[in-house]
Amino acid sequence: MSGPLPSWNDGPAKSAILDFVRATADPKSPAFVPEKDRIATFDQDGTLWVEHPMYTQLAFALARLAELAPQHPEWKTTEPFKSTLAGDMAAFAKFTLADLETLVAASHAGMSTDAFREMVSDWIGKAKHPRWDRPYTDLVYKPMLEVMQYFEDNGFKNYIVTGGGQAFVRAYAERVYGMMPEQIIGSSLETQFEYDGDGRAILMRPPKLLLYNDSSGKPQDIYLFLGRPPLAAFGNSTGDQQMLEYTQAAAGMRLAFLVLHDDAAREYDYGPASPQADTKFGAFTQALADTAKAKGWVVASMKNDWRRLFTFES
Amino acid sequence: MSGPLPSWNDGPAKSAILDFVRATADPKSPAFVPEKDRIATFDQDGTLWVEHPMYTQLAFALARLAELAPQHPEWKTTEPFKSTLAGDMAAFAKFTLADLETLVAASHAGMSTDAFREMVSDWIGKAKHPRWDRPYTDLVYKPMLEVMQYFEDNGFKNYIVTGGGQAFVRAYAERVYGMMPEQIIGSSLETQFEYDGDGRAILMRPPKLLLYNDSSGKPQDIYLFLGRPPLAAFGNSTGDQQMLEYTQAAAGMRLAFLVLHDDAAREYDYGPASPQADTKFGAFTQALADTAKAKGWVVASMKNDWRRLFTFES
């Protein structure tokens, strides 16, 4: 198989990507955009890698909480810690996003930025996804890696714009995506400048949210970090809608793209037609499908548009 | 004059820059750093351009307030607006930084991000510095433009890290410095995602500070935007101290650099030996001088190290 995007089946989704890149990167095209403004943004969970049965970062949080539990006897009697530590998956399934955020705050704060990076790096080097029994970082979608490579080969600068933690993703982004820390925009805790015992400047992580980079937060933070809308934006859920709207509202040719999880055999099915559509991990509701249709967004079917999902599949 | 940094006189400051770049960018050097990690950060006011008699952005704020005053009759009787609008410079000189921030908030918020950029762009194209009677953007230091160019030619990525407003600086940064919006880190208001009357996604600027990018805010925001300390950092005041400490605390060869304003004839003298040392526009106190000495930071004397200051001088 030659040409770009070999893991994609021919069809409107693949064509939309190829046509868009040719139109914006070819100096002879009327929609040409100079290289300095060629920006593409990618949601991570559910767009670049598997987000079920739960976000990878939540699996990290649970592992950390289990480690920390002996120092927090009060967690045995306080929700959302009690059910979590007891492994009560029925209760866990009913947690609100606020409950999940409480778990994340308790497991992600109180150390230096350097210590946190080490912690994530250690965990993600060892932890495995329950379904495939492989490292989470193996579960990056090969078709999307090809899209990112194709964009980069055509002078685009790629950014991850994730509701997940910026510091979490940065800990493995260079190894997994070849992306440097400045290419990762995500939810962030504040940091606090301090001096350690030797008078050396360090940054600590207090449990205080600075940026919640989901839904409206995505365009807001794209503006904060990049100062302008991207040319192309890729997402897979309601949390990406505003990013796609912000992308499309700007002048000139833009690409707004959604990945639809409709492949229970090879991955998961939680599209609008599925009983899983209202999942808290990457909801693709009927309302989002309607918006996508009304606004002319490209929707790629994982089942029909992707020849293969993962690099480890031959 | 051939070679890099032609507007610099030979001396320890110029040598420090040349030596540092050679040591970090030459693959044969033991201190070599791969290009992807070659980051340099530059304070703006007083480091890249003139900051006296007041920050340029404050001059913009005053012009905006005069425009807005008819819609705010209450300003006639409320400080800090009253003295400001009356042109009472004695009172103005006594304003605290909090007063100045109040003026900035009242003049910088309440419009869309696009409208604000237009506003700044219009103003800075016309406004002139009172001493030189030239556009503020002519008052960028030629020696520092040469440093930025020299870094860039050697594979560094430059960033402005300013206590001033990120959106303000971005409005002229490409024209003046050749820097794209993602290279500007500064104090920022929150933005708010909304739909305009046509249902188009826009971002508004509510009067709510998100990042105060001065002093400890500088390393905190460098971490937020770039995820790691720079290799080299340039500043000129107490507000840059933590950025330089954060830079120097990291492993490997680093450059921490201060510009000293000691040239009343060609510019201004507000170094530690001057009665102006405690100015609120770029204080270089004796304590900062002592810290610089103790930590081995390079201090460039504007009077002795710079052959010429501005591009318009031949």
Side-chain angles (χ1 to χ4, degrees):
Chain A
M1 185 102 191
S2 68
L5 312 186
S7 300
W8 290 71
N9 290 317
D10 289 335
K14 179 174 179 174
S15 298
I17 298 169
L18 297 175
D19 292 348
F20 175 80
V21 170
R22 284 190 205 114
T24 51
D26 177 353
K28 291 184 297 289
S29 156
F32 175 72
V33 174
E35 190 162 330
K36 63 190 168 59
D37 286 317
R38 275 180 233 152
I39 291 173
T41 57
F42 298 82
D43 167 59
Q44 183 186 233
D45 295 304
T47 299
L48 296 181
W49 72 355
V50 173
E51 65 184 343
H52 276 216
M54 67 170 77
Y55 298 141
T56 303
Q57 188 167 0
L58 192 54
F60 166 77
L62 298 186
R64 277 279 296 158
L65 290 174
E67 261 179 50
L68 293 170
Q71 301 159 46
H72 294 273
E74 75 280 11
W75 288 353
K76 278 187 195 154
T77 51
T78 329
E79 293 295 358
F81 301 100
K82 185 183 160 194
S83 304
T84 305
L85 293 171
D88 178 348
M89 284 298 122
F92 189 81
K94 286 183 197 142
F95 281 172
T96 63
L97 265 184
D99 291 329
L100 300 180
E101 283 165 36
T102 302
L103 297 176
V104 168
S107 53
H108 283 59
M111 70 292 280
S112 74
T113 54
D114 287 350
F116 182 72
R117 189 181 49 232
E118 288 294 308
M119 221 169 258
V120 174
S121 183
D122 285 353
W123 179 82
I124 209 156
K126 289 181 295 205
K128 292 189 173 175
H129 190 283
R131 174 162 164 185
W132 284 272
D133 195 32
R134 287 179 165 273
Y136 288 95
T137 51
D138 280 7
L139 300 173
V140 169
Y141 305 126
K142 174 79 169 148
M144 293 306 296
L145 291 176
E146 291 170 0
V147 171
M148 295 169 92
Q149 187 64 53
Y150 182 58
F151 272 88
E152 202 180 305
D153 290 346
N154 283 278
F156 278 75
K157 186 92 174 174
N158 297 324
Y159 293 86
I160 286 177
V161 178
T162 175
Q166 182 192 44
F168 183 81
V169 178
R170 281 174 167 176
Y172 57 79
E174 187 176 359
R175 173 170 68 81
V176 173
Y177 302 113
M179 290 170 88
M180 299 305 290
E182 61 270 26
Q183 292 172 273
I184 312 301
I185 301 169
S187 295
S188 314
L189 297 185
E190 288 190 9
T191 57
Q192 190 169 310
F193 180 86
E194 292 182 10
Y195 301 99
D196 70 9
D198 302 320
R200 243 179 99 257
I202 55 165
L203 293 173
M204 295 296 291
R205 292 169 56 87
K208 216 170 149 192
L209 193 68
L210 175 66
L211 301 177
Y212 181 53
N213 191 52
D214 198 39
S215 301
S216 294
K218 291 199 174 192
Q220 292 165 187
D221 296 336
I222 288 172
Y223 174 77
L224 178 67
F225 280 77
L226 308 179
R228 54 211 196 280
L231 289 195
F234 293 78
N236 77 300
S237 80
T238 52
D240 299 310
Q241 176 168 339
Q242 290 86 349
M243 173 168 75
L244 270 58
E245 289 172 338
Y246 178 63
T247 301
Q248 199 176 33
M253 192 171 179
R254 307 275 160 169
L255 179 65
F257 197 105
L258 289 170
V259 172
L260 173 65
H261 293 259
D262 59 357
D263 192 337
R266 293 191 299 173
E267 202 236 20
Y268 297 96
D269 176 5
Y270 49 102
S274 148
Q276 309 284 328
D278 66 345
T279 171
K280 42 179 168 281
F281 305 113
F284 194 128
T285 58
Q286 188 56 49
L288 180 62
D290 294 344
T291 299
K293 193 166 181 184
K295 296 187 184 244
W297 296 348
V298 181
V299 178
S301 153
M302 196 170 265
K303 191 163 154 185
N304 301 319
D305 288 308
W306 288 4
R307 261 173 28 96
R308 67 167 179 175
L309 269 58
F310 305 116
T311 303
F312 60 80
E313 298 167 338
S314 57
Chain B
M1 185 102 191
S2 67
L5 310 187
S7 300
W8 290 71
N9 290 317
D10 289 336
K14 178 175 179 173
S15 298
I17 297 168
L18 296 176
D19 292 349
F20 174 79
V21 170
R22 284 190 205 113
T24 51
D26 177 353
K28 293 184 296 288
S29 156
F32 174 72
V33 174
E35 191 163 328
K36 64 188 167 63
D37 286 318
R38 275 181 233 153
I39 290 172
T41 57
F42 298 82
D43 168 57
Q44 182 186 231
D45 294 306
T47 299
L48 296 181
W49 72 354
V50 173
E51 65 184 342
H52 277 216
M54 67 170 76
Y55 297 141
T56 302
Q57 188 167 2
L58 193 52
F60 166 77
L62 299 186
R64 277 280 297 159
L65 290 173
E67 262 179 48
L68 292 171
Q71 301 158 45
H72 293 274
E74 75 280 11
W75 287 355
K76 279 187 193 156
T77 51
T78 330
E79 293 294 2
F81 301 100
K82 186 183 160 193
S83 305
T84 303
L85 293 171
D88 179 348
M89 284 297 123
F92 189 82
K94 285 181 195 142
F95 282 171
T96 62
L97 265 184
D99 292 329
L100 300 181
E101 284 165 34
T102 302
L103 297 176
V104 169
S107 52
H108 283 58
M111 71 291 282
S112 74
T113 54
D114 287 350
F116 182 72
R117 188 181 50 232
E118 288 295 307
M119 221 169 258
V120 175
S121 183
D122 285 353
W123 179 83
I124 208 154
K126 290 181 294 204
K128 292 188 173 177
H129 190 282
R131 173 162 165 185
W132 284 272
D133 194 33
R134 287 181 164 273
Y136 288 95
T137 51
D138 279 7
L139 300 173
V140 170
Y141 305 126
K142 175 77 170 148
M144 293 307 296
L145 290 176
E146 292 171 0
V147 171
M148 293 169 92
Q149 187 63 54
Y150 182 58
F151 272 87
E152 202 180 303
D153 290 345
N154 282 279
F156 278 76
K157 185 92 175 174
N158 296 324
Y159 293 87
I160 286 178
V161 178
T162 174
Q166 182 192 43
F168 183 82
V169 179
R170 282 174 168 177
Y172 56 81
E174 187 175 1
R175 174 170 67 82
V176 174
Y177 302 112
M179 289 169 88
M180 299 306 291
E182 62 268 28
Q183 292 172 272
I184 312 302
I185 301 169
S187 296
S188 315
L189 297 185
E190 288 189 10
T191 57
Q192 190 169 310
F193 180 87
E194 292 182 10
Y195 301 99
D196 69 11
D198 303 321
R200 243 179 97 256
I202 56 166
L203 293 173
M204 295 296 291
R205 293 168 55 87
K208 215 171 151 192
L209 193 69
L210 176 66
L211 301 177
Y212 182 53
N213 191 50
D214 197 40
S215 302
S216 294
K218 291 199 174 193
Q220 290 164 189
D221 297 336
I222 289 171
Y223 174 77
L224 178 66
F225 280 76
L226 308 180
R228 54 215 197 278
L231 288 195
F234 293 78
N236 77 299
S237 80
T238 51
D240 299 311
Q241 177 168 339
Q242 290 85 348
M243 173 169 72
L244 271 58
E245 289 172 339
Y246 178 62
T247 302
Q248 198 176 34
M253 191 171 181
R254 308 274 160 170
L255 179 65
F257 198 104
L258 288 171
V259 172
L260 173 65
H261 293 259
D262 58 356
D263 192 337
R266 293 192 298 172
E267 202 236 18
Y268 297 97
D269 176 5
Y270 50 100
S274 149
Q276 310 285 329
D278 66 345
T279 171
K280 42 178 167 283
F281 306 113
F284 194 128
T285 58
Q286 188 56 50
L288 180 62
D290 294 343
T291 299
K293 193 167 180 182
K295 296 187 184 245
W297 297 347
V298 182
V299 178
S301 153
M302 198 171 263
K303 191 164 155 184
N304 301 319
D305 288 307
W306 289 2
R307 263 173 25 98
R308 66 166 180 175
L309 269 59
F310 305 116
T311 302
F312 60 81
E313 298 167 338
S314 58

